[in-house]
Amino acid sequence: MVVRVATVAFEGIDARPVDVQVQLSSGNVVFTIVGLADKAVAESRERVRAALTASGLALPAKRITVNLAPADMPKEGSHYDLPIALAVMAAIGALPADALAGFTVLGELALDGSLTPVAGVLPAAVAANSRGHGLICPAECGPEAAWASGDMEVIAPRSLIQLANHFKGTQALSRPQPGVRTAGGVLPDLRDIKGQESAKRALEIAAAGGHNLLMNGPPGAGKSMLAQRLPSILPPLNPKELLEVSMIHSVAGALAGGRLTDRRPFRSPHHSASMPALVGGGAHARPGEISLAHHGVLFLDELPEFQPQVLDSLRQPMETGEVAIARANHRTVYPARFQLVAAMNPCPCGYFGTRANECVCHAAQVRRYRSRLSGPLLDRLDLHIDVPALPIQALREESSPAEASAVIRARVVEARERQRSRYREDGIAANAQLKPRHLKQYCGLDSASRDLLERAMTKLGLSARAHGRILRVARTIADLAGAERVALAHIAEAIQYRSFD
């Protein structure tokens, strides 16, 4: 007799169905797992054996064969422990034979029979619900699984004994409630920053249209402070975006206690980050920083200090909104529609072009420093702004306080609503996502605006991609102003945000 239990294997954020088949037969006493399993899955037999013993069950003196089908799909991770254990328990009669029908199961076992949290419960729950299954998972993952559907049966025990008692009817496990992560403190506010009104304006435009932003200026000018306050003016995640972001973080094991939040991600990796850390990869093709920043902000401080190859690896995801990690035996695709915000100094010492401090760098050093940023990468950044050092007078208490993030956020949310309404049929959320075919339809110019843009293209030597970036930024400026059409003033302001050109 073969006992079957359903579980999943992860390919990116997709959960593929896997059939765990257990057979007890006469012969040598051996516990074998087959089906292209990695080391963590192969070690499941020892965890299952110890957990069953701790729960008062002994493995029979028979040959136990576990097959993970389909056999040609790689199986990775420790979440196969629980489905294997439950299949063995059903095979030896410790659970009713039909108790596990209609359930997808995942979870890691401790040696004492308790269940340990695993990554990927949310996408597994979504996949199980689409197949009409319930879900069995560890108790700590229950609040995460409950988000998949209010009508879906979710069983979240703390141990094998609890689960066995639940199926026998001697103990009832209540359905877990969806977990919501409370806001972790107040976000930094833009009112804390003195002066830098032009930089704040560029930050508002970037937030309203989802545009990429590069800030260039000497040390201490406030570039990092500005970037850290960008989340305070971004709109919350809508339900569709929240699900996508949470599924990525679930696969990465980054959902604390299975609780979700509608705050947009803000990721700030160190400049020593490797390409797999930033883009994704490694032995099991894990999501990188750009995927963890999906629908949020990726902040790269000291941009030229990153390896040039690492920075250039961002170019394709910035265009397509996803990253494909190819391996010899499989290909994994993760969403990566992030908003890149970067900061840099004008030279290695940081004071090139400033009056307060003398630059000690040679011209060749400055050229070498800036050449670490390739032209194609700069072309993909919508706004380039200079953030100058503030004079001492600007740091004194001002008679009128600076504008608060809440006020700016209200304008950003209003502009985003205009965009969402305008692009409803095209499936576009923000102006930064406009395709070339949409520019003529939504960013049409009058003759004066067209002449100004043509002169700027010729004088600055802008590329066709930069032309499209200017139109998208101008469309956002018009949305902030409540204008239906892009006008001359909007184009003129957008051109000013191409300082590197």
Side-chain angles (χ1 to χ4, degrees):
M1 176 182 168
V2 176
V3 176
R4 299 172 183 268
V5 174
T7 186
V8 294
F10 296 105
E11 290 184 358
I13 61 173
D14 296 325
R16 307 295 185 191
V18 171
D19 189 23
V20 178
Q21 306 165 3
V22 171
Q23 182 184 56
L24 303 184
S25 58
S26 58
N28 295 333
V29 180
V30 64
F31 194 151
T32 306
I33 298 178
V34 298
L36 208 57
D38 73 346
K39 184 67 173 175
V41 183
E43 291 172 347
S44 288
R45 59 176 176 266
E46 303 304 328
R47 292 191 292 273
V48 169
R49 191 193 308 275
L52 291 178
T53 301
S55 302
L57 298 171
L59 290 177
K62 291 187 175 183
R63 182 183 186 90
I64 303 175
T65 304
V66 178
N67 178 42
L68 306 177
D72 60 346
M73 180 191 298
K75 318 298 189 308
E76 302 169 346
S78 60
H79 66 275
Y80 294 97
D81 290 4
L82 184 57
I84 291 174
L86 294 183
V88 171
M89 291 171 68
I92 64 178
L95 286 177
D98 59 346
L100 302 172
F103 281 99
T104 294
V105 184
L106 72 166
E108 180 183 333
L109 287 172
L111 299 183
D112 61 356
S114 60
L115 301 185
T116 304
V118 292
V121 169
L122 180 58
V126 172
N129 184 58
S130 67
R131 295 197 296 272
H133 280 198
L135 189 81
I136 300 175
C137 64
E140 292 186 37
C141 301
E144 177 182 345
W147 282 101
S149 172
D151 301 326
M152 176 183 175
E153 185 176 2
V154 178
I155 302 175
R158 297 190 178 277
S159 65
L160 279 177
I161 295 177
Q162 273 194 355
L163 186 59
N165 291 339
H166 175 81
F167 283 123
K168 290 178 181 177
T170 59
Q171 181 179 1
L173 294 174
S174 60
R175 188 184 190 276
Q177 296 302 311
V180 178
R181 192 168 70 217
T182 55
V186 180
L187 290 172
D189 200 293
L190 275 172
R191 76 169 72 196
D192 301 333
I193 299 178
K194 306 292 184 181
Q196 302 295 8
E197 296 305 321
S198 61
K200 291 178 184 178
R201 169 65 174 172
L203 204 67
E204 179 180 346
I205 294 170
H211 301 291
N212 301 319
L213 170 66
L214 173 62
M215 293 180 285
N216 176 46
K223 303 183 296 296
S224 298
M225 288 183 66
L226 286 163
Q228 291 162 2
R229 283 152 179 78
L230 177 58
S232 68
I233 63 174
L234 288 173
L237 294 166
N238 63 43
K240 181 175 181 292
E241 294 171 338
L242 174 61
L243 180 62
E244 291 180 7
V245 170
S246 300
M247 288 176 72
I248 297 171
H249 284 246
S250 177
V251 169
L255 282 183
R259 296 185 296 272
L260 278 58
T261 177
D262 64 353
R263 275 190 180 177
R264 293 185 180 270
F266 182 84
R267 308 291 298 188
S268 180
H270 190 259
H271 58 73
S272 62
S274 64
M275 189 178 298
L278 202 63
V279 177
H284 303 305
R286 308 302 292 173
E289 292 290 333
I290 64 173
S291 294
L292 295 173
H294 183 56
H295 290 313
V297 178
L298 177 69
F299 176 47
L300 301 184
D301 203 1
E302 306 294 346
L303 187 66
E305 299 298 334
F306 285 81
Q307 292 296 321
Q309 297 87 348
V310 174
L311 292 179
D312 284 336
S313 68
L314 302 179
R315 286 155 48 183
Q316 182 262 343
M318 289 170 68
E319 291 288 336
T320 63
E322 63 182 23
V323 57
I325 304 168
R327 294 291 180 265
N329 57 350
H330 67 284
R331 181 177 182 269
T332 303
V333 178
Y334 286 109
R337 190 168 295 285
F338 58 94
Q339 182 177 357
L340 177 62
V341 176
M344 62 175 288
N345 296 327
C347 67
C349 80
Y351 296 107
F352 179 78
T354 63
R355 298 179 181 179
N357 300 84
E358 183 180 355
C359 176
V360 298
C361 303
H362 300 296
Q365 288 178 294
V366 177
R367 285 195 298 270
R368 193 181 310 115
Y369 183 74
R370 295 197 175 192
S371 67
R372 296 173 69 88
L373 307 180
S374 67
L377 177 65
L378 289 173
D379 225 16
R380 287 168 168 82
L381 298 173
D382 303 338
L383 299 99
H384 312 159
I385 63 169
D386 290 319
V387 184
L390 289 175
I392 188 62
Q393 295 82 359
L395 299 177
R396 296 173 183 164
E397 287 295 331
E398 301 174 359
S399 56
S400 58
E403 202 170 27
S405 290
V407 177
I408 301 174
R409 189 189 195 198
R411 293 198 297 265
V412 169
V413 170
E414 189 177 349
R416 285 284 184 111
E417 285 301 322
R418 289 193 183 97
Q419 296 165 50
R420 190 171 291 111
S421 175
R422 183 190 305 126
Y423 308 133
R424 185 177 291 110
E425 296 181 0
D426 298 298
I428 296 172
N431 289 325
Q433 300 172 19
L434 285 173
K435 303 297 182 186
R437 66 178 182 274
H438 298 134
L439 293 179
K440 185 175 181 180
Q441 179 181 357
Y442 297 117
C443 305
L445 304 179
D446 56 27
S447 58
S449 302
R450 194 180 305 111
D451 291 343
L452 175 62
L453 182 55
E454 288 176 0
R455 291 198 303 273
M457 292 283 296
T458 303
K459 185 175 181 179
L460 300 177
L462 300 179
S463 67
R465 181 182 285 116
H467 176 271
R469 301 284 174 184
I470 291 174
L471 288 177
R472 293 179 181 94
V473 172
R475 178 66 265 179
T476 300
I477 296 171
D479 287 334
L480 284 169
E484 289 296 325
R485 294 183 58 83
V486 178
L488 180 64
H490 308 142
I491 288 290
E493 184 178 358
I495 293 172
Q496 293 177 11
Y497 298 123
R498 302 295 300 185
S499 63
F500 266 71
D501 295 325

